[in-house]
Amino acid sequence: MVYVYQKSRVMKKMPAHISPMLCTLVKDPLDSEEYLYEVKWDSYRIISFVEKGKVHMDSRSGHNYTTKYPPVEKALKSLKYDVIIDGEVVVFNQEEKPDFDALQLYNGHDSPIRYCVFDLLWLDGQDLRGFPFIERKELLAVSKIPMKSYSSQR
């Protein structure tokens, strides 16, 4: 089922900060269609604000990480929407496994980096946080905002 997003005529101002929903550690994934879950990468959680081509990337504690990840910032500037998206910045090793040490040592240019986007919180003037998570995932998919993307890897 695909949910249809209708742009509101009443445009809301983009919030300056959003506190992310935090994950809950469980031993095994729940086996229920009532729950969705995301893989927790060994990474930094980043909420990105893109408005009129300007990008601001916040850590989960609200620190500005925009200049730490130039390839991600550059890719976000190219988005055709004003958005707030939630995801994780990850450096993967040669075996395509997350490498937190490499992420901590990331120099901004030499290591491949990805922004694994998993939630769409705000889109073109509409606060989507009140929408069910499954609907936000559908909107993320149809918006063509890549959900595992923004890699400097070639």
Side-chain angles (χ1 to χ4, degrees):
M1 175 183 285
V2 175
Y3 298 90
V4 178
Y5 161 76
Q6 293 180 342
K7 191 170 180 177
S8 171
R9 291 179 187 208
V10 178
M11 300 295 283
K12 295 181 181 177
K13 184 176 179 187
M14 183 181 279
H17 176 76
I18 289 181
S19 296
M21 183 185 305
L22 300 178
C23 63
T24 301
L25 183 62
V26 295
K27 186 175 181 178
D28 295 308
L30 298 171
D31 187 17
S32 170
E33 291 191 18
E34 293 183 25
Y35 291 90
L36 294 176
Y37 68 93
E38 295 291 333
V39 172
K40 172 61 181 108
W41 300 103
D42 202 3
S43 62
Y44 287 131
R45 178 81 170 271
I46 299 291
I47 295 184
S48 296
F49 301 76
V50 181
E51 188 172 27
K52 296 180 177 79
K54 293 183 181 173
V55 175
H56 183 86
M57 299 165 56
D58 281 348
S59 70
R60 100 179 175 182
S61 57
H63 293 91
N64 185 347
Y65 275 41
T66 310
T67 59
K68 287 183 70 105
Y69 309 116
V72 177
E73 178 188 14
K74 180 180 178 185
L76 290 172
K77 283 181 180 180
S78 71
L79 292 178
K80 305 283 189 247
Y81 306 99
D82 288 345
V83 297
I84 300 174
I85 51 179
D86 191 359
E88 296 182 65
V89 173
V90 188
V91 170
F92 290 93
N93 63 21
Q94 298 285 345
E95 291 82 36
E96 287 296 308
K97 294 185 179 178
D99 186 339
F100 191 69
D101 290 337
L103 180 61
Q104 289 182 311
L105 298 172
Y106 183 72
N107 64 10
H109 300 287
D110 295 336
S111 302
I113 191 164
R114 293 188 198 153
Y115 186 30
C116 299
V117 178
F118 53 77
D119 201 357
L120 179 61
L121 304 172
W122 196 89
L123 176 63
D124 285 338
Q126 187 167 355
D127 188 343
L128 304 176
R129 291 175 289 174
F131 285 40
F133 183 51
I134 188 73
E135 290 183 27
R136 296 195 313 265
K137 297 285 282 180
E138 291 286 341
L139 286 170
L140 184 59
V142 299
S143 71
K144 301 194 177 163
I145 296 169
M147 292 168 51
K148 193 177 214 180
S149 139
Y150 310 124
S151 173
S152 61
Q153 187 174 12
R154 302 205 192 280

